[in-house]
Amino acid sequence: MILLDGSSLTIEQLLAIADRGERVALSDAARDRVRRSRAVVDRRARGAEPAYGINTGFGSFAEVAIAPDALEALQLNLLRSHAAGLGDPLPPRTVRATIALRANVLAKGFSGIALDTVEALIALLNRRGVHPSVPSRGSVGASGDLAPLAHLALVLIGEGEVLDDDDDDQRKGRKERKEDQNALRASRVLRSSVISGSEALRRAGLKPITLGPKEGLALINGTQPSTAVLALALAAAERVARAADIAAALSIDALRGSIHPFEARIHDARPFRGQRTSAANIEALMRGSGINLSHERCGKVQDAYSLRCAAQVHGAVRDALRFIRETVDIEANSATDNPMVFADTGDIVSGGNFHGAPIAIAADLLAAAVVPLATISERRTDRLVDPALSGLPAFLTRDGGLKSGLMLAHVTAAAVASELKSLAHPSGVDTIPTSANREDHVSMSMTAALKAECAVSRAREVIAIEILCACQAIDLLAPLMTSPALAAVHGLVRSRVPALDDDRAPAPDIVAIAQLIETSALEDACDALVK
């Protein structure tokens, strides 16, 4: 059980909720804060003084007063009118992360929401199979991710749509998740249909809620969908970064490169944290390699940059990921409401914590940061398949000409690496006024987060191709043996992907290795050598 207190939710806990169905509850302190904040809203709703979103309209209607007998309709209309999203629905794991983040924000006690409403939101997490259908497009990341959160919140009142968790594909997905929790992280949207929100609540034994003053606004004002997408993409990127160190070690060994550029004394002289970590990883993975020992005195002075500078490039990416993690950690435990309710003074103050700029910038950085991982990986793959650079059979096949080997695997790596350069263009540099120019600067945080998620997936594929080629190269160097750590990685890969003797379609092999990266199985094979 994970207690939400509004201040201590970690990315690891978020993954446990999203992927493993960890149950959640509010802490006692959070319950008290929510009650006190709600009391302030109830007092203001009974008075005549205007308070945004409580007894006024929204956005450019902020100066329109709402009669006391229409306050419930005001909140209901807000959810209905703002559910304008389009596009493919977010995967269930992303929806679960979004719900957890929103509940954690409400737990801070600045929203003015009723405790029963927060509990109803949490019940969606704790009752299996209630995953609101949340379109992925429609947010500009200002006033929060209004459209996605409105689609989610509609389910609480018995409206909207829910991904049908009772169809055959979903039953199969639940069985697979029970058998292999790691495979959860590789899951996609298991969806063939939707059901109504009212039917989903009925199946789960839940009842629709009735909205009080400000509650609709409290449910949709925030960056939680874009933060959820970014948090999950970040966790995936961290796994890709660790896999990149493994891929580099495999390739450097297979290309008979030197282990010496990864000596700690070199990196201690330029003490970037990420660089030192990557160097230590690669050196530890290569230690004890018979291949490396065989060319210790070969006379080569220096390796190419894609080998020798792997730690410097990979390390810079790691340092960027650390900044992104700090941003996500802060945002996951921040109040993003407007207006904010201060129970200690009774004040209700309009502000702009809903603006998604921090998430947009971090997401744009993530999309750009993974590109060097992919481009340097593609360069190592190119060296592996080029006999003039590798000293190995062309395209890693013994029967070149009759067979093409891994020729097109490298071409695919080049194509995907090139696509990544386009994905690196930042979304947050764009802004477009909305809401009759009341919201005249927006963040595009959701667009940035979705793009970053895509970039991480593409980078994973490039790394997977390098591992495919490097393992084949290791095979071709037999009877020379790689290090014990890399032999374990090679063995894992070979348990899913046989050595290439006769030509076959590389695509399934690439997908299989990408899944080993995504589920952490690849790094687990290294016996905790990779940090």
Side-chain angles (χ1 to χ4, degrees):
M1 177 76 72
I2 294 173
L3 288 180
L4 301 180
D5 59 11
S7 301
S8 61
L9 182 65
T10 67
I11 293 176
E12 287 68 31
Q13 288 176 323
L14 194 65
L15 290 171
I17 295 166
D19 290 333
R20 299 194 295 277
E22 188 74 30
R23 294 176 66 82
V24 303
L26 286 177
S27 70
D28 290 340
R31 289 169 175 272
D32 182 61
R33 287 193 298 270
V34 170
R35 290 191 185 99
R36 289 190 290 114
S37 175
R38 182 63 197 169
V40 174
V41 170
D42 287 338
R43 287 196 298 271
R44 185 63 65 89
R46 292 191 294 268
E49 182 181 353
Y52 176 76
I54 297 176
N55 53 18
T56 75
F58 308 100
S60 60
F61 292 130
E63 279 71 45
V64 177
I66 307 299
D69 61 355
L71 297 187
E72 179 183 336
L74 173 70
Q75 301 301 315
L76 183 61
N77 289 339
L78 174 69
L79 297 190
R80 289 171 174 168
S81 65
H82 282 51
L86 298 172
D88 293 336
L90 297 173
R93 68 191 298 258
T94 308
V95 174
R96 291 181 62 78
T98 299
I99 296 172
L101 287 169
R102 191 65 205 152
N104 193 55
V105 166
L106 297 173
K108 292 191 76 69
F110 293 105
S111 305
I113 199 166
L115 180 60
D116 286 347
T117 303
V118 184
E119 296 283 14
L121 187 64
I122 290 174
L124 296 186
L125 283 176
N126 291 338
R127 295 291 212 289
R128 297 300 180 111
V130 188
H131 298 128
S133 182
V134 179
S136 55
R137 269 66 183 178
S139 173
V140 294
S143 285
D145 297 317
L146 295 172
L149 285 170
H151 281 275
L152 192 159
L154 277 177
V155 175
L156 291 173
I157 62 173
E159 298 185 13
E161 293 181 328
V162 171
L163 301 178
D164 189 356
D165 200 35
D166 279 341
D167 61 46
D168 290 339
D169 286 342
Q170 285 288 0
R171 283 195 293 271
K172 179 182 177 184
R174 287 200 302 271
K175 181 174 183 291
E176 290 173 349
R177 290 195 289 270
K178 184 177 180 180
E179 292 174 350
D180 183 2
Q181 292 293 352
N182 275 334
L184 264 167
R185 292 201 291 252
S187 67
R188 294 294 181 263
V189 181
L190 300 170
R191 173 182 186 262
S192 62
S193 61
V194 295
I195 58 175
S196 69
S198 59
E199 173 62 14
L201 293 182
R202 185 193 66 77
R203 289 183 186 180
L206 301 173
K207 294 182 179 180
I209 64 170
T210 299
L211 297 173
K214 196 184 181 294
E215 291 203 282
L217 187 59
L219 287 168
I220 71 172
N221 226 193
T223 63
Q224 285 67 54
S226 53
T227 303
V229 174
L230 177 59
L232 299 180
L234 170 63
E238 291 171 340
R239 292 191 291 273
V240 171
R242 293 190 290 269
D245 286 350
I246 298 169
L250 280 167
S251 294
I252 294 166
D253 208 27
L255 289 165
R256 286 160 284 190
S258 175
I259 195 174
H260 296 300
F262 306 101
E263 293 179 8
R265 57 183 175 176
I266 293 175
H267 304 280
D268 289 346
R270 192 196 196 195
F272 286 112
R273 179 175 167 184
Q275 178 179 325
R276 296 169 86 177
T277 299
S278 284
N281 285 341
I282 295 171
E283 193 276 336
L285 290 167
M286 291 181 64
R287 194 181 304 139
S289 167
I291 298 172
N292 186 262
L293 184 63
S294 73
H295 60 84
E296 182 68 23
R297 293 175 176 81
C298 65
K300 187 193 297 185
V301 177
Q302 289 185 337
D303 292 325
Y305 284 6
S306 59
L307 282 63
R308 183 170 22 125
C309 299
Q312 285 80 1
V313 174
H314 294 192
V317 174
R318 284 172 171 269
D319 289 339
L321 298 184
R322 193 167 63 254
F323 165 78
I324 298 164
R325 176 174 272 266
E326 180 182 347
T327 299
V328 172
D329 281 339
I330 292 172
E331 188 72 355
N333 295 286
S334 295
T336 56
D337 295 272
N338 180 56
M340 291 182 65
V341 179
F342 295 92
D344 55 344
T345 63
D347 294 331
I348 298 178
V349 184
S350 290
N353 278 0
F354 51 69
H355 200 287
I359 295 302
I361 291 171
D364 282 336
L365 176 57
L366 179 57
V370 297
V371 176
L373 284 182
T375 52
I376 197 170
S377 172
E378 182 276 328
R379 288 291 80 203
R380 290 190 296 262
T381 299
D382 177 70
R383 300 186 78 83
L384 287 164
V385 300
D386 185 341
L389 299 174
S390 69
L392 296 166
F395 303 111
L396 303 172
T397 179
R398 296 188 188 278
D399 300 312
L402 174 64
K403 301 173 183 176
S404 295
L406 294 172
M407 179 188 297
L408 262 290
H410 169 252
V411 172
T412 299
V416 176
S418 184
E419 179 186 351
L420 275 163
K421 298 169 190 175
S422 298
L423 290 171
H425 180 79
S427 296
V429 300
D430 184 29
T431 181
I432 185 168
T434 60
S435 193
N437 226 37
R438 178 65 64 100
E439 299 163 3
D440 60 348
H441 186 278
V442 301
S443 73
M444 298 298 178
S445 59
M446 192 63 168
T447 304
L450 291 167
K451 182 169 60 64
E453 179 184 53
C454 181
V456 172
S457 180
R458 297 286 82 79
R460 183 190 303 117
E461 293 162 350
V462 178
I463 302 299
I465 292 171
E466 180 185 358
I467 292 170
L468 174 68
C469 293
C471 285
Q472 181 72 9
I474 294 291
D475 290 331
L476 292 171
L477 288 169
L480 293 174
M481 300 290 292
T482 189
S483 69
L486 293 178
V489 172
H490 179 273
L492 175 65
V493 172
R494 285 288 168 258
S495 72
R496 307 290 179 89
V497 177
L500 186 66
D501 295 320
D502 296 321
D503 277 353
R504 64 173 183 265
D509 297 343
I510 298 168
V511 171
I513 296 172
Q515 289 175 344
L516 293 176
I517 296 171
E518 191 171 7
T519 61
S520 298
L522 194 79
E523 60 192 81
D524 291 345
C526 297
D527 194 28
L529 281 176
V530 177
K531 305 174 182 67

